[in-house]
Amino acid sequence: MSKQYLHTKILNEELLNVDISKYSSKVAEIHQHLHTTKDEPTGWVHAPLEDNTQIVQSILEVASEIKLKADVLVVVGIGGSYLGAKAIQDALTPYFGSHENGIEVVYAGQNLSGAYINQLIKSLANKEIYVNVISKSGSTMEPALAFRVFRQYLEERYGDEAVQRIIVTTDPEKGLLNDMAEKHNYRTFNIPQNIGGRYSVLTPVGLLPIAVAGVDIEELLTGAKQAAIELNEESLEMNEAYRYATIRHELYNQGYKVEMLASFEPGLAKFHEWWKQLFGESEGKDKKGILPVTSNFSTDLHSIGQFIQEGSPMLFETLLHFREVTDDYNVPYHLRDEDQLNYLDNRSFNEINAISKQGTAIAHAEGGIQVIQLELKKLNAYHIGYLIQFFMISCAMSAYLMKVNPFDQPGVEAYKCHIGQLLNESKKLALRPM
Ligand code: PA5
């Protein structure tokens, strides 16, 4: 049943050289834990199966208002409060211009570049805007600073109407952002307390921005629901997410410490980044973890391709492939054929791209690289929803197999703490009399 939607395949079975069914009982044990624990933020496991009509309705209503009254939505957030929305937007909206059902969505607070924020503000001069600030803790430095800037900007431009143009997505009970929302009467969406940052894309964190960008969020959630149903099996043999998690775990144990996720559609570049955060933050702790790196083919075959094929044998590759991509272009016939490409006359670019994927997989497998293929039917909201749920389940399983906590990020908290301290110290130094 699950193979209908996503097929996980390892190309070099003989190189893997081990029967992954040895992990079956461990996988079943972790499955039970994941599905029953009340002590860890696993709300995302069952969320797609719950009735979400009301929240989807509220998101769609606010999205319609934004699309009516604004030219641009500025989304302020970082990490799990940014990457998922941007990933889905880039994957499912046109390369050039906006989606016919959406408006422009831009991002702030995902870096500390003065040039970026200055140029972003200048670019908004003649446009009507709304701001959606997203932060679970409500105090992360990058988005907090950007929100300060945009709140002031909105107040100066719109006066009292600014309140209407600010939407806050945060923890329902605590945090500075929650306090500010209550005090100023900003409209809010809740981030469920049992869902952590990088597992939150299918909550209002991701849903509001992408609904405004024109993506069909109901389809996205239906795909995630299908994954939650199919990947509910505790049996390793029946569960593609567990199969992927176990194969990568076995490769890790065999000494491959780097996984490169690659695909052949440039719009998936940010999706790779979402995946990188999900696995990197969930697994990379206690001196353990597979380093997640990403590539966009065929572009990167002409840069990192050489290393993958013949460089240090430290990595395995996961090729993500959608069999159908909407929109295509055919190679034109040319009378003079000086480039000798008439043999490709009338073949579609997508068809050539799929062949390039096949060639890459064969070359890399022949070069001794372990290649895992994840194949889905179509690049659309449904299958992206499915894939998101698939990766979140695989990631939790993979981290538990490694005996690390998939849901904390002590290293990120350490960075957050140090930047706060350093800024305070440098302020004191700057204030010291000469
Ligand atoms: O996955 C996580 O928890 C983190 O990456 C957070 O999403 C990120 O640090 C942003 O945190 P917050 O939403 O609290 O601003």
Side-chain angles (χ1 to χ4, degrees):
M1 172 83 161
S2 60
K3 288 189 176 155
Q4 196 184 337
Y5 288 96
L6 192 149
H7 184 43
T8 316
K9 184 165 142 199
I10 176 122
L11 293 188
N12 267 346
E13 295 269 9
E14 70 282 4
L15 275 183
L16 186 67
N17 200 20
V18 78
D19 182 5
I20 57 164
S21 63
K22 68 176 181 177
Y23 293 106
S24 294
S25 59
K26 190 73 204 155
V27 164
E29 192 187 307
I30 295 173
H31 171 91
Q32 282 309 325
H33 174 74
L34 193 59
H35 281 257
T36 53
T37 179
K38 297 271 176 279
D39 304 328
E40 287 171 286
T42 51
W44 53 273
V45 175
H46 301 290
L49 302 169
E50 287 157 12
D51 179 16
N52 54 26
T53 331
Q54 226 176 340
I55 184 70
V56 168
Q57 200 46 42
S58 324
I59 290 173
L60 290 175
E61 274 165 24
V62 175
S64 297
E65 175 190 319
I66 297 174
K67 288 190 268 184
L68 199 69
K69 294 200 174 160
D71 304 305
V72 182
L73 171 68
V74 181
V75 176
V76 177
I78 196 166
S81 295
Y82 149 68
L83 277 164
K86 179 68 174 147
I88 299 174
Q89 182 191 346
D90 282 10
L92 299 175
T93 60
Y95 282 111
F96 307 99
S98 307
H99 193 289
E100 55 183 3
N101 298 325
I103 59 166
E104 195 182 348
V105 176
V106 297
Y107 294 82
Q110 82 284 32
N111 60 54
L112 286 168
S113 161
Y116 182 95
I117 200 152
N118 190 29
Q119 289 171 30
L120 174 57
I121 288 196
K122 281 190 188 147
S123 77
L124 299 170
N126 300 316
K127 295 174 175 171
E128 298 299 334
I129 66 168
Y130 265 62
V131 170
N132 178 203
V133 55
I134 309 172
S135 174
K136 178 149 184 170
S137 62
S139 54
T140 307
M141 178 65 74
E142 291 90 338
L145 276 174
F147 183 50
R148 169 181 270 240
V149 170
F150 276 98
R151 194 155 76 118
Q152 192 174 48
Y153 178 79
L154 285 180
E155 283 165 357
E156 281 167 7
R157 256 185 79 170
Y158 294 104
D160 290 346
E161 200 201 322
V163 171
Q164 189 65 17
R165 288 177 175 266
I166 292 172
I167 317 289
V168 174
T169 308
T170 191
D171 185 284
E173 281 170 19
K174 52 184 197 298
L176 287 176
L177 199 51
N178 183 52
D179 296 346
M180 280 156 83
E182 266 182 29
K183 183 166 171 204
H184 297 283
N185 238 347
Y186 298 139
R187 272 176 292 172
T188 54
F189 283 104
N190 296 338
I191 308 179
Q193 290 191 305
N194 61 354
I195 300 185
R198 56 191 171 276
Y199 294 83
S200 69
V201 54
L202 299 174
T203 73
V205 168
L207 295 177
L208 179 62
I210 61 172
V212 174
V215 173
D216 185 340
I217 59 169
E218 287 169 292
E219 270 298 290
L220 187 86
L221 292 171
T222 310
K225 181 176 181 179
Q226 184 65 28
I229 294 167
E230 289 185 0
L231 305 172
N232 201 9
E233 295 277 350
E234 77 166 35
S235 146
L236 171 56
E237 286 70 35
M238 302 291 288
N239 190 317
E240 293 287 312
Y242 294 166
R243 198 170 134 69
Y244 168 58
T246 309
I247 292 171
R248 62 196 297 288
H249 182 68
E250 173 58 27
L251 290 171
Y252 174 70
N253 285 340
Q254 289 186 15
Y256 298 98
K257 305 292 187 217
V258 181
E259 177 179 15
M260 178 174 283
L261 180 75
S263 60
F264 292 74
E265 196 57 44
L268 291 169
K270 273 286 171 197
F271 191 86
H272 296 168
E273 294 304 302
W274 171 82
W275 168 90
K276 185 165 92 181
Q277 189 214 357
L278 179 67
F279 280 84
E281 270 190 5
S282 300
E283 283 187 341
K285 52 198 71 154
D286 304 340
K287 309 284 177 226
K288 297 184 202 168
I290 299 172
L291 174 69
V293 300
T294 66
S295 263
N296 303 299
F297 293 160
S298 67
T299 311
D300 292 342
L301 287 174
H302 300 264
S303 59
I304 201 74
Q306 171 59 35
F307 188 99
I308 301 170
Q309 187 78 35
E310 294 180 347
S312 301
M314 60 171 75
L315 63 83
F316 63 95
E317 189 176 38
T318 298
L319 290 181
L320 183 58
H321 181 57
F322 291 87
R323 288 195 296 279
E324 283 171 48
V325 180
T326 323
D327 227 3
D328 204 351
Y329 200 85
N330 280 3
V331 176
Y333 179 80
H334 200 288
L335 265 183
R336 292 195 300 279
D337 196 27
E338 286 143 339
D339 51 12
Q340 299 177 10
L341 288 172
N342 270 353
Y343 78 102
L344 292 175
D345 164 38
N346 220 19
R347 305 278 290 272
S348 90
F349 270 76
N350 285 347
E351 190 192 336
I352 298 169
N353 203 14
I355 292 172
S356 121
K357 185 228 104 195
Q358 238 176 310
T360 307
I362 296 170
H364 289 178
E366 278 175 4
I369 316 299
Q370 295 286 4
V371 181
I372 302 171
Q373 281 202 102
L374 300 178
E375 230 179 69
L376 289 105
K377 187 167 177 275
K378 192 168 181 181
L379 182 48
N380 59 15
Y382 181 92
H383 288 93
I384 286 285
Y386 189 103
L387 190 58
I388 285 170
Q389 191 71 12
F390 169 90
F391 273 137
M392 293 195 301
I393 295 171
S394 319
C395 180
M397 173 57 68
S398 187
Y400 280 132
L401 282 170
M402 229 172 250
K403 297 196 172 67
V404 297
N405 179 348
F407 306 118
D408 65 356
Q409 54 285 326
V412 183
E413 304 309 331
Y415 153 74
K416 286 183 180 179
C417 178
H418 279 300
I419 185 178
Q421 266 171 13
L422 286 170
L423 286 169
N424 265 320
E425 279 165 22
S426 54
K427 183 173 180 211
K428 279 185 212 142
L429 279 178
L431 289 176
R432 194 174 291 164
M434 301 292 282

PDB file of all heavy atoms in Angstrom, residues 78-81 135-137 140 197-198 277 281 409 416, ligand 1:
ATOM      1  N   ILE A  78      12.716  32.306  11.704  1.00  0.00           N
ATOM      2  CA  ILE A  78      13.992  31.641  11.380  1.00  0.00           C
ATOM      3  C   ILE A  78      13.887  30.158  11.745  1.00  0.00           C
ATOM      4  O   ILE A  78      13.028  29.762  12.553  1.00  0.00           O
ATOM      5  CB  ILE A  78      15.175  32.320  12.142  1.00  0.00           C
ATOM      6  CG1 ILE A  78      16.534  31.927  11.542  1.00  0.00           C
ATOM      7  CG2 ILE A  78      15.160  31.986  13.637  1.00  0.00           C
ATOM      8  CD1 ILE A  78      17.696  32.812  12.016  1.00  0.00           C
ATOM      9  N   GLY A  79      14.770  29.337  11.168  1.00  0.00           N
ATOM     10  CA  GLY A  79      14.805  27.902  11.487  1.00  0.00           C
ATOM     11  C   GLY A  79      13.469  27.252  11.165  1.00  0.00           C
ATOM     12  O   GLY A  79      12.882  27.459  10.093  1.00  0.00           O
ATOM     13  N   GLY A  80      12.938  26.511  12.132  1.00  0.00           N
ATOM     14  CA  GLY A  80      11.665  25.839  11.923  1.00  0.00           C
ATOM     15  C   GLY A  80      10.515  26.809  11.730  1.00  0.00           C
ATOM     16  O   GLY A  80       9.448  26.420  11.253  1.00  0.00           O
ATOM     17  N   SER A  81      10.707  28.062  12.079  1.00  0.00           N
ATOM     18  CA  SER A  81       9.650  29.064  11.893  1.00  0.00           C
ATOM     19  C   SER A  81       9.798  29.790  10.560  1.00  0.00           C
ATOM     20  O   SER A  81       9.195  30.852  10.355  1.00  0.00           O
ATOM     21  CB  SER A  81       9.687  30.070  13.053  1.00  0.00           C
ATOM     22  OG  SER A  81       9.358  29.410  14.253  1.00  0.00           O
ATOM     23  N   SER A 135       7.334  32.885  15.809  1.00  0.00           N
ATOM     24  CA  SER A 135       8.402  32.441  16.702  1.00  0.00           C
ATOM     25  C   SER A 135       7.766  31.687  17.860  1.00  0.00           C
ATOM     26  O   SER A 135       6.909  32.225  18.553  1.00  0.00           O
ATOM     27  CB  SER A 135       9.201  33.639  17.231  1.00  0.00           C
ATOM     28  OG  SER A 135      10.144  33.210  18.189  1.00  0.00           O
ATOM     29  N   LYS A 136       8.178  30.449  18.024  1.00  0.00           N
ATOM     30  CA  LYS A 136       7.576  29.638  19.088  1.00  0.00           C
ATOM     31  C   LYS A 136       7.977  30.178  20.458  1.00  0.00           C
ATOM     32  O   LYS A 136       7.147  30.378  21.332  1.00  0.00           O
ATOM     33  CB  LYS A 136       8.000  28.181  18.937  1.00  0.00           C
ATOM     34  CG  LYS A 136       7.433  27.326  20.030  1.00  0.00           C
ATOM     35  CD  LYS A 136       7.166  25.917  19.625  1.00  0.00           C
ATOM     36  CE  LYS A 136       6.500  25.232  20.805  1.00  0.00           C
ATOM     37  NZ  LYS A 136       5.963  23.968  20.581  1.00  0.00           N
ATOM     38  N   SER A 137       9.268  30.458  20.622  1.00  0.00           N
ATOM     39  CA  SER A 137       9.730  30.963  21.923  1.00  0.00           C
ATOM     40  C   SER A 137       9.338  32.424  22.096  1.00  0.00           C
ATOM     41  O   SER A 137       9.160  32.896  23.210  1.00  0.00           O
ATOM     42  CB  SER A 137      11.254  30.847  22.003  1.00  0.00           C
ATOM     43  OG  SER A 137      11.834  31.640  20.988  1.00  0.00           O
ATOM     44  N   THR A 140      13.581  34.736  19.925  1.00  0.00           N
ATOM     45  CA  THR A 140      14.785  34.481  19.119  1.00  0.00           C
ATOM     46  C   THR A 140      15.269  35.802  18.515  1.00  0.00           C
ATOM     47  O   THR A 140      14.471  36.575  17.968  1.00  0.00           O
ATOM     48  CB  THR A 140      14.456  33.459  18.012  1.00  0.00           C
ATOM     49  OG1 THR A 140      13.869  32.316  18.634  1.00  0.00           O
ATOM     50  CG2 THR A 140      15.698  33.038  17.252  1.00  0.00           C
ATOM     51  N   GLY A 197       9.704  23.303  16.797  1.00  0.00           N
ATOM     52  CA  GLY A 197       9.965  24.168  15.636  1.00  0.00           C
ATOM     53  C   GLY A 197      10.093  23.446  14.305  1.00  0.00           C
ATOM     54  O   GLY A 197       9.311  23.667  13.373  1.00  0.00           O
ATOM     55  N   ARG A 198      11.055  22.536  14.197  1.00  0.00           N
ATOM     56  CA  ARG A 198      11.334  21.932  12.882  1.00  0.00           C
ATOM     57  C   ARG A 198      10.306  20.881  12.472  1.00  0.00           C
ATOM     58  O   ARG A 198      10.370  20.346  11.374  1.00  0.00           O
ATOM     59  CB  ARG A 198      12.754  21.358  12.844  1.00  0.00           C
ATOM     60  CG  ARG A 198      13.048  20.354  13.925  1.00  0.00           C
ATOM     61  CD  ARG A 198      14.534  20.035  13.996  1.00  0.00           C
ATOM     62  NE  ARG A 198      14.847  19.223  15.166  1.00  0.00           N
ATOM     63  CZ  ARG A 198      15.066  19.706  16.388  1.00  0.00           C
ATOM     64  NH1 ARG A 198      14.992  20.998  16.620  1.00  0.00           N
ATOM     65  NH2 ARG A 198      15.371  18.890  17.382  1.00  0.00           N
ATOM     66  N   GLN A 277      17.768  20.964   8.014  1.00  0.00           N
ATOM     67  CA  GLN A 277      17.528  21.392   9.389  1.00  0.00           C
ATOM     68  C   GLN A 277      16.886  20.272  10.205  1.00  0.00           C
ATOM     69  O   GLN A 277      17.279  19.994  11.338  1.00  0.00           O
ATOM     70  CB  GLN A 277      16.615  22.621   9.437  1.00  0.00           C
ATOM     71  CG  GLN A 277      16.544  23.182  10.859  1.00  0.00           C
ATOM     72  CD  GLN A 277      15.204  23.773  11.235  1.00  0.00           C
ATOM     73  OE1 GLN A 277      14.283  23.831  10.432  1.00  0.00           O
ATOM     74  NE2 GLN A 277      15.089  24.218  12.449  1.00  0.00           N
ATOM     75  N   GLU A 281      19.407  19.097  13.064  1.00  0.00           N
ATOM     76  CA  GLU A 281      19.120  19.496  14.449  1.00  0.00           C
ATOM     77  C   GLU A 281      18.601  18.328  15.280  1.00  0.00           C
ATOM     78  O   GLU A 281      18.736  18.314  16.493  1.00  0.00           O
ATOM     79  CB  GLU A 281      18.089  20.632  14.478  1.00  0.00           C
ATOM     80  CG  GLU A 281      18.727  22.001  14.432  1.00  0.00           C
ATOM     81  CD  GLU A 281      17.750  23.151  14.690  1.00  0.00           C
ATOM     82  OE1 GLU A 281      16.578  22.905  15.001  1.00  0.00           O
ATOM     83  OE2 GLU A 281      18.181  24.295  14.552  1.00  0.00           O
ATOM     84  N   GLN A 409      17.445  20.784  20.945  1.00  0.00           N
ATOM     85  CA  GLN A 409      18.504  21.398  20.154  1.00  0.00           C
ATOM     86  C   GLN A 409      19.407  22.210  21.070  1.00  0.00           C
ATOM     87  O   GLN A 409      19.489  23.429  20.956  1.00  0.00           O
ATOM     88  CB  GLN A 409      17.945  22.267  18.997  1.00  0.00           C
ATOM     89  CG  GLN A 409      16.933  23.353  19.353  1.00  0.00           C
ATOM     90  CD  GLN A 409      15.567  22.811  19.659  1.00  0.00           C
ATOM     91  OE1 GLN A 409      15.135  21.831  19.084  1.00  0.00           O
ATOM     92  NE2 GLN A 409      14.885  23.443  20.587  1.00  0.00           N
ATOM     93  N   LYS A 416      22.079  30.823  20.933  1.00  0.00           N
ATOM     94  CA  LYS A 416      21.132  31.897  21.272  1.00  0.00           C
ATOM     95  C   LYS A 416      21.579  32.607  22.556  1.00  0.00           C
ATOM     96  O   LYS A 416      21.540  33.823  22.661  1.00  0.00           O
ATOM     97  CB  LYS A 416      19.715  31.324  21.472  1.00  0.00           C
ATOM     98  CG  LYS A 416      19.004  30.923  20.180  1.00  0.00           C
ATOM     99  CD  LYS A 416      17.586  30.425  20.464  1.00  0.00           C
ATOM    100  CE  LYS A 416      16.850  30.016  19.205  1.00  0.00           C
ATOM    101  NZ  LYS A 416      15.498  29.501  19.414  1.00  0.00           N
TER     102      LYS A 416
HETATM  103  O1  PA5 B   1      13.602  23.461  15.408  1.00  0.00           O
HETATM  104  C1  PA5 B   1      13.736  24.353  16.245  1.00  0.00           C
HETATM  105  O2  PA5 B   1      13.205  24.304  17.359  1.00  0.00           O
HETATM  106  C2  PA5 B   1      14.535  25.605  15.923  1.00  0.00           C
HETATM  107  O3  PA5 B   1      15.164  25.528  14.693  1.00  0.00           O
HETATM  108  C3  PA5 B   1      13.629  26.819  15.944  1.00  0.00           C
HETATM  109  O4  PA5 B   1      12.611  26.643  15.008  1.00  0.00           O
HETATM  110  C4  PA5 B   1      14.378  28.127  15.643  1.00  0.00           C
HETATM  111  O5  PA5 B   1      15.483  28.270  16.487  1.00  0.00           O
HETATM  112  C5  PA5 B   1      13.440  29.323  15.817  1.00  0.00           C
HETATM  113  O6  PA5 B   1      12.893  29.332  17.103  1.00  0.00           O
HETATM  114  P1  PA5 B   1      11.619  30.175  17.464  1.00  0.00           P
HETATM  115  O7  PA5 B   1      10.465  29.686  16.657  1.00  0.00           O
HETATM  116  O8  PA5 B   1      11.421  29.956  18.921  1.00  0.00           O
HETATM  117  O9  PA5 B   1      11.935  31.619  17.146  1.00  0.00           O
END
